[in-house]
């Protein structure tokens, strides 16, 4: 039994989600091979080789993989993956883009967003915005899985797996990279942050999100938002936490002015410690919070920042 994991990276740095996907693969058991597809990404292959549990790193370097276009990567993974029992990727925007194509090319079903491994063919995943948990058994010869990285700890380093070059160039010729607009921030990335403070509709407008800045600076926290705040135009959608946003599981999650709709809870309820600040004592967020403060956020936030 051998497992193929597709690494997520930017050609310079391996994303933390990949290390967590390796942890999920270790629970399945068997040899773990990690595919790094990109351009000038030998440094990423070195980082991948250091993850405990990885027995081999496959390095596919070609200009057609530079931006990990789903149409190209899926062809590569489908060809390589035919010889594996399991194919895994993180349940991120990238993984959700190319892995369903791989499953279709291999004519097997995909099991999405697994949060636990029961055996080599049985997995646990949330459904209905996390309100129910399904245990799914697959009889396919090749199991294609996306892994909700928030549910697994990152695999430790210290390994030195061999790196093997793969001379396969798959350019589907149906898409090309034009440009990208990146949000630059000195704050930690939402999905990798140890502490997150999020604002909701209760913030009233985008200007008031500045009230979170001082606290975030003192806690080295990422700043998130509920869908209500994003839909209202307070903040950009890359800050959204929830079922249709980013799934997070930090050590500390502070929800400010967030009522706690099911969709938001689905994205952050696995946080280790949840703190809620809301003036409505009946807000659903208090049902999942470890600590709740019933208070006006415009009074509580400056006081909290001062105490910190």
């Amino acid at each position: 039994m051998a497992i193929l994991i597709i690494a997520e990276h930017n050609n310079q740095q391996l994303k933390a989600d990949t290390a967590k996907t390796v942890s999920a693969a270790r629970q399945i058991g068997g040899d773990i091979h990690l595919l790094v597809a990109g351009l000038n990404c030998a440094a990423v292959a070195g980082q991948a080789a250091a993850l405990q549990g990885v027995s081999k790193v496959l390095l596919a370097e070609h200009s057609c993989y530079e931006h990990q276009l789903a149409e190209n990567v899926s062809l590569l993974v489908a060809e390589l993956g035919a010889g594996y029992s399991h194919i895994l990727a993180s349940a991120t925007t990238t993984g959700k883009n190319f892995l369903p194509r791989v499953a279709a090319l291999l004519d097997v079903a995909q099991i999405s967003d697994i949060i636990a491994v029961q055996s080599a063919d049985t997995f646990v995943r949330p459904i209905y915005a996390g309100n129910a948990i399904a245990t799914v058994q697959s009889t396919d010869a090749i199991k294609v899985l996306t892994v909700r990285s928030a549910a697994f700890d990152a695999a430790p380093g210290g390994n030195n797996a061999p790196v093997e070059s793969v001379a396969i160039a798959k350019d589907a010729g149906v898409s090309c990279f034009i440009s990208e607009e990146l949000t630059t921030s000195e704050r930690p990335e939402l999905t990798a942050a140890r502490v997150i403070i999020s604002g909701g509709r209760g913030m009233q407008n985008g200007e008031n999100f500045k009230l979170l800045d001082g606290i975030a600076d003192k806690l080295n926290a990422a700043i998130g938002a509920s869908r209500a705040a994003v839909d209202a135009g307070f903040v950009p959608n890359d800050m959204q936490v929830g079922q249709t946003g980013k799934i997070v599981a930090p050590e500390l999650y502070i929800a400010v002015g967030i009522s706690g709709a099911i969709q938001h809870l689905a994205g952050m309820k696995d946080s280790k410690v949840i703190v809620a600040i809301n003036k409505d004592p009946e807000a659903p967020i208090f049902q999942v919070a470890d600590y709740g403060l019933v208070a006006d956020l415009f009074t509580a936030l400056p006081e909290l920042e001062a105490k910190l």
Side-chain angles (χ1 to χ4, degrees):
M1 188 164 66
I3 301 167
L4 179 65
I5 299 175
I6 294 79
E8 185 153 345
H9 62 93
N10 60 2
N11 290 312
Q12 282 108 35
Q13 187 71 37
L14 187 71
K15 297 289 181 69
D17 291 318
T18 300
K20 296 179 179 182
T21 302
V22 170
S23 290
R26 293 176 75 182
Q27 294 182 23
I28 296 172
D31 287 339
I32 299 173
H33 297 175
L34 213 156
L35 172 64
V36 176
L39 184 65
N40 300 323
C41 53
V44 177
Q47 296 162 23
L51 294 175
Q52 289 286 350
V54 175
S55 56
K56 183 164 65 175
V57 175
L58 304 175
L59 177 59
E61 287 195 286
H62 194 277
S63 57
C64 64
Y65 304 135
E66 181 178 4
H67 301 287
Q68 284 95 52
L69 294 176
E71 293 81 1
N72 298 347
V73 172
S74 59
L75 293 176
L76 170 67
V77 175
E79 181 169 326
L80 287 174
Y84 290 85
S85 60
H86 298 73
I87 302 174
L88 276 65
S90 304
T92 58
T93 302
T94 302
K96 291 175 179 178
N97 195 9
F98 75 82
L99 208 61
R101 301 167 190 264
V102 172
L105 289 166
L106 295 174
D107 196 24
V108 297
Q110 176 179 299
I111 301 176
S112 304
D113 277 302
I114 69 165
I115 58 172
V117 176
Q118 288 196 350
S119 69
D121 65 357
T122 306
F123 311 94
V124 179
R125 62 180 298 263
I127 57 175
Y128 305 131
N131 282 310
I133 302 297
T135 301
V136 183
Q137 185 175 37
S138 172
T139 57
D140 285 326
I142 303 173
K143 281 73 172 169
V144 176
L145 314 166
T146 58
V147 177
R148 181 171 288 190
S149 54
F152 298 90
D153 294 327
N159 192 18
N160 189 23
V163 178
E164 180 182 303
S165 292
V166 175
I168 302 175
K170 293 284 188 180
D171 189 346
V174 295
S175 64
C176 62
F177 176 82
I178 302 297
S179 66
E180 64 184 358
E181 295 180 19
L182 301 177
T183 302
T184 56
S185 173
E186 295 181 359
R187 301 195 191 284
E189 188 180 348
L190 259 177
T191 52
R194 291 177 59 248
V195 180
I196 296 173
I197 180 167
S198 289
R201 196 199 306 271
M203 300 299 293
Q204 296 184 3
N205 58 56
E207 274 296 304
N208 290 334
F209 264 77
K210 292 179 180 177
L211 291 169
L212 306 180
D213 288 345
I215 297 170
D217 290 340
K218 293 185 176 183
L219 297 177
N220 189 30
I223 296 181
S226 68
R227 177 169 180 169
V230 171
D231 286 351
F234 298 170
V235 290
N237 61 9
D238 62 336
M239 292 173 62
Q240 183 178 325
V241 173
Q243 184 187 12
T244 53
K246 294 176 179 174
I247 309 294
V248 300
E251 293 179 20
L252 172 63
Y253 187 88
I254 305 173
V256 181
I258 295 174
S259 62
I262 290 171
Q263 291 81 1
H264 187 76
L265 299 183
M268 45 63 74
K269 62 185 176 61
D270 291 326
S271 305
K272 306 297 184 289
V273 177
I274 299 172
V275 175
I277 301 174
N278 199 300
K279 65 181 181 181
D280 177 10
E282 302 300 321
I285 191 72
F286 289 124
Q287 295 175 15
V288 298
D290 298 286
Y291 299 94
L293 178 61
V294 179
D296 186 325
L297 66 89
F298 297 105
T299 302
L301 288 178
E303 192 174 336
L304 176 60
E305 184 179 347
K307 297 282 187 187
L308 289 169

